[in-house]
Amino acid sequence: MSTTPMPGRPVRGSTTGRSLMAALDLFGRRWTLRIIWELGNEPLGFRLLQRRCDDMSSSVLRQRLTELQEARLAEVRSDGTYALTTLGHDARKSLDPVIEWSRRWAAALADAPPTTAENADDG
Amino acid sequence: MSTTPMPGRPVRGSTTGRSLMAALDLFGRRWTLRIIWELGNEPLGFRLLQRRCDDMSSSVLRQRLTELQEARLAEVRSDGTYALTTLGHDARKSLDPVIEWSRRWAAALADAPPTTAENADDG
DNA sequence: GACAGTGCTTCGGAATTCGAAGCACGCATC
DNA sequence: GATGCGTGCTTCGAATTCCGAAGCACTGTC
């Protein structure tokens, strides 16, 4: 454990350790983006957060929460719930353009549906 | 195969299929963010792209490239190199704030260095 | 033909994720 | 004080994903 990507130290699969690569590595882990997003809406307890994340595995959630805490993006509040730190909220806000893009993405795919094989005509 | 997250269809572990969740799932796969980033700088051939991504596994690169093509973010050009589509470049641009955030992240951690697991319990 | 570089595939092993179960705890109700 | 419920968190076997080295077919150069 404790392989949390951090700026300034080597990133998984890399030796550069540039902050961007560290961020890309941190965010490129399953559920991390989603957790930040859900936590950005409101502080949540462990089990409720798990439910919000499509009932993701509790073991992985625990690991992600630890990573997020080590990376100073999340913290435990006095009432026991998890919340984003100032840095965490800042990160979540940086995700806003991605959110907007996803809408354009959906619209673009709707306009020009993929003609690939596996996507048969479903009405 | 073909588990590429797409807006409008169920996302891995989910049944909502909202475009945001699809995007979060797509980006939350190892190397995906990095590939988009590298391809955003310039079109690259398979092996060169692999090198740019810290010599990531070719099998995974192949899979990511397929997913990116299915998601209409990347395409193969006439000269055989891979490049981002308009949608892909749009996505990469939406990542810019994340880049900027990663710098602030590095700066914040430098100011208040992590207490590295078992720490001196300061205040 | 020998050599080098390309995109891409295969495959055994390592790492990550999953999912269900369980533990210790607090808090009501009985 | 026993029962039931909900919590945060842990454990662990299995499924999935990722890794990494090797190899194939093809292209171009000498």
Side-chain angles (χ1 to χ4, degrees), chain A residues 5 13 22 41 51 61 73 94 97 100 117 120 122:
Chain A
N41 294 331
R51 243 167 260 147
L61 176 56
L73 296 203
S94 78
E100 292 172 29
D122 56 345

Side-chain angles (χ1 to χ4, degrees), chain B residues 14-82:
Chain B
S14 170
T15 52
T16 60
R18 287 187 291 166
S19 59
L20 168 59
M21 300 312 159
L24 258 32
D25 187 31
L26 177 66
F27 291 153
R29 297 185 173 194
R30 199 115 82 197
W31 296 113
T32 300
L33 251 18
R34 178 70 173 273
I35 292 171
I36 293 175
W37 177 254
E38 298 293 346
L39 239 35
N41 294 331
E42 60 178 329
L44 293 168
F46 187 93
R47 262 167 142 109
L48 188 49
L49 173 57
Q50 181 184 13
R51 243 166 261 147
R52 290 288 176 82
C53 293
D54 293 321
D55 280 308
M56 66 172 288
S57 166
S58 63
S59 47
V60 177
L61 176 56
R62 191 63 203 76
Q63 192 172 335
R64 291 294 169 272
L65 248 18
T66 301
E67 290 168 2
L68 254 21
Q69 287 176 86
E70 287 183 5
R72 293 251 195 269
L73 295 204
E75 63 187 355
V76 188
R77 301 196 310 172
S78 56
D79 62 354
T81 62
Y82 288 91

Side-chain angles (χ1 to χ4, degrees), chain A residues 32-103:
Chain A
T32 300
L33 250 19
R34 178 69 175 272
I35 292 171
I36 293 175
W37 176 255
E38 297 293 348
L39 239 34
N41 294 331
E42 59 178 330
L44 293 169
F46 187 92
R47 264 170 141 106
L48 188 49
L49 173 57
Q50 181 183 13
R51 243 167 260 147
R52 290 288 176 81
C53 292
D54 293 321
D55 280 308
M56 66 172 288
S57 165
S58 62
S59 46
V60 178
L61 176 56
R62 192 64 205 74
Q63 193 172 334
R64 291 294 170 273
L65 248 18
T66 300
E67 290 167 2
L68 254 21
Q69 287 176 87
E70 287 183 7
R72 294 253 195 270
L73 296 203
E75 62 186 357
V76 188
R77 302 196 309 172
S78 56
D79 63 354
T81 61
Y82 288 92
L84 293 184
T85 62
T86 303
L87 205 50
H89 271 106
D90 194 18
R92 210 228 57 146
K93 259 180 282 187
S94 78
L95 250 32
D96 278 343
V98 178
I99 307 315
E100 292 172 29
W101 171 85
S102 74
R103 276 193 263 275

